[in-house]
Structure formats: structure tokens, C-alpha cells
Amino acid sequence: FRSRLVARARESRAAGLDATALHRRLPPGEGRKAIAVLERGGQLERLDGAGERWITGELAQQVVGQVLELVRRHHEAAPLSPGLAEAEVQSQMPAPEQHLVALAVRLAISAGKLTRDGALLALPGSGSAVDAQARAQLTALADAYREAGLMPPGDAELGQRLGLERKRLQELLGLLRRQGTLVRVNEAMHADAAAVGELSARVIARLTEQPELTAPAFKELAGGLSRKWAIPLLEYLDRCRVTVRVGDVRRLHPSRR
């Protein structure tokens, strides 16, 4: 009856073979034994999640192929990207197969066809591919932010200055963030990570000695910054839990005490 189980699973397509229906049709214990044999042979694959359902190994491999193709296309379109989010993969799949993505990803990773870094999926050896042109652009960006220190230009302004299209600029900035070269101050501005790190250390040292820091005192501590840069940097330090705003002053965040 194993062939009948596979045939029934094939008929059920993405919905899968239901354990309840299976056990009703077979003698006690026989269904589970048969399923175990078919799973070991790769003819059936158990779906992830609650309940017990199985799809054919053939359908599972089809979905694996679809997932790999989506990730491959992403690498092709965005070579500097580290990978494609699993949620994005799922959203791009046909509705009937969307719930099979978790299983397909697990199978692909087990087979060494896919890698995972957090929520991102990538093909082995792909992602963040840096060619000679990208290296030159990355160097130009990093140098510009390092020279600007705590007074960086807006991302759009710098991209325009360097002749970078918006999508390309965002890819390069993302790679520099992952490398630890830059930090995102806000949605429109990045800054040199070393310069911001030094500023953070000075703020912590000051607030360790004095309990409160006013905006004017912060500007002075940062080397005479104008409001244009001081406010975004203060808000960034708040988000990073270096400082906490209390009225018109900053105090050391409780986690730093």
C-alpha cells in the first residue's frame, strides 16, 4: 500500500496527505511504519509546522528548485546583496506553494544548495560579490565618509556627487554597514563608524562624570557641530541606548551604568 500512499499524496498536491485520513484507512501502526519507510526513501516529505501532513518528494524538490531560482535571480539583479529574505521568497511563490517554502529551504540547506545568514538566504559562494568597479566605488564612499567625520553629506547628495544610481548606492552602503565601516544615522544619512564610535565614547565618559548633557554641550563635545548634524547624531545615540532623553537633556542610558 506504499504506492497507494504516494499516489494519494500526489493527488493532494500542496495540501498534503493528512495523517488523520491516513490512519483511518490503515490498520493501527501500519500507516506510521509505511510513512517512515517512504520518508527514508525520499518519496514523502513531512511538512513543517503543526499537525501531520506529507507531500511527495517530487513536489518538494520542485519547490526547492523554485526557491533556488528566486534566490539566483536576486543575486543576478543585486550582486552586492548578501541574500534574499525568506519572507520575500515566500511572497514571490504561487499561493498554493507558499506554505511549502520552509520545508524547501530546510531541504536545500541540508543538501548544501542554499545557505542562511539570519533571515537571508543565499546560494553558496554568492552574495556580496565585489568586482573591481564595486571595490573602487566602496573605497570612494568610505573615503568620503571618513573625511567628512561627524558632518557627513546626505546619502542622496553623496551618491549624486559620485555618480551612483540610488539602487547601486543603497547596495554599496549596505555592504559598508555589514563590514562595520559605516553606521546608518537615519534614513537619509550615514556616517563613518569610527568617528561615531569615538563620539559615543566621549559622551559616555562625560555622562559618567556629569549626570546630564544638554544639546549645546553635546555640540561642543562633538567639535562644534551645527544642529543639522547634532540632532540626528543625538537621536542615533538614543536609539543605540548610549543616551536617553529626559526633557531637554540626555542622560546615560541605564544599560550603560
Side-chain angles (χ1 to χ4, degrees):
F1 52 76
R2 291 175 195 159
S3 60
R4 292 204 304 273
L5 288 179
V6 174
R8 194 172 294 277
R10 189 174 291 118
E11 290 170 5
S12 66
R13 292 291 297 166
L17 180 65
D18 179 71
T20 305
L22 168 71
H23 298 319
R24 274 203 307 264
R25 290 179 171 83
L26 295 172
E30 290 301 311
R32 201 166 293 280
K33 290 178 185 176
I35 289 289
V37 172
L38 292 169
E39 282 186 309
R40 285 197 296 272
Q43 293 165 282
L44 291 183
E45 292 288 350
R46 180 172 175 166
L47 295 181
D48 297 338
E52 290 184 300
R53 302 185 79 85
W54 292 265
I55 61 171
T56 63
E58 179 184 11
L59 176 58
Q61 290 307 315
Q62 286 177 15
V63 179
V64 167
Q66 289 174 282
V67 169
L68 294 176
E69 178 61 14
L70 287 172
V71 177
R72 185 194 67 76
R73 288 180 190 173
H74 176 77
H75 286 314
E76 192 175 82
L80 291 178
S81 169
L84 183 62
E86 184 172 342
E88 183 63 24
V89 172
Q90 190 167 3
S91 72
Q92 293 184 44
M93 290 287 289
E97 282 85 35
Q98 286 184 347
H99 70 288
L100 304 180
V101 168
L103 168 64
V105 167
R106 176 165 57 78
L107 293 174
I109 291 175
S110 296
K113 297 177 180 178
L114 202 62
T115 63
R116 180 196 290 281
D117 183 4
L120 299 180
L121 304 172
L123 301 180
S126 299
S128 301
V130 182
D131 56 18
Q133 181 188 37
R135 277 195 297 274
Q137 292 169 334
L138 288 166
T139 298
L141 272 173
D143 287 349
Y145 281 108
R146 185 170 55 253
E147 290 167 9
L150 296 175
M151 296 186 290
D155 296 340
E157 178 187 339
L158 187 53
Q160 201 169 34
R161 189 192 306 172
L162 297 177
L164 297 170
E165 294 181 357
R166 184 180 181 280
K167 180 181 177 182
R168 179 65 166 183
L169 174 66
Q170 292 305 316
E171 289 181 356
L172 293 165
L173 290 173
L175 185 51
L176 288 170
R177 286 198 308 272
R178 294 193 295 277
Q179 292 175 345
T181 303
L182 299 181
V183 296
R184 189 198 291 273
V185 177
N186 59 30
E187 288 302 311
M189 183 188 297
H190 284 71
D192 180 68
V196 175
E198 290 173 8
L199 174 62
S200 176
R202 291 201 297 273
V203 168
I204 292 171
R206 170 69 68 85
L207 287 173
T208 301
E209 298 173 357
Q210 302 174 11
E212 296 181 346
L213 182 67
T214 63
F218 173 78
K219 292 176 185 177
E220 182 183 348
L221 189 66
L225 289 184
S226 71
R227 180 182 176 83
K228 175 181 177 180
W229 288 285
I231 298 304
L233 285 168
L234 272 171
E235 291 173 348
Y236 171 79
L237 294 177
D238 290 343
R239 289 197 307 276
C240 293
R241 298 188 174 187
V242 173
T243 54
V244 59
R245 183 173 181 174
V246 181
D248 293 330
V249 300
R250 257 70 179 191
R251 293 178 180 167
L252 196 61
H253 192 277
S255 64
R256 303 278 176 169
R257 293 171 190 163

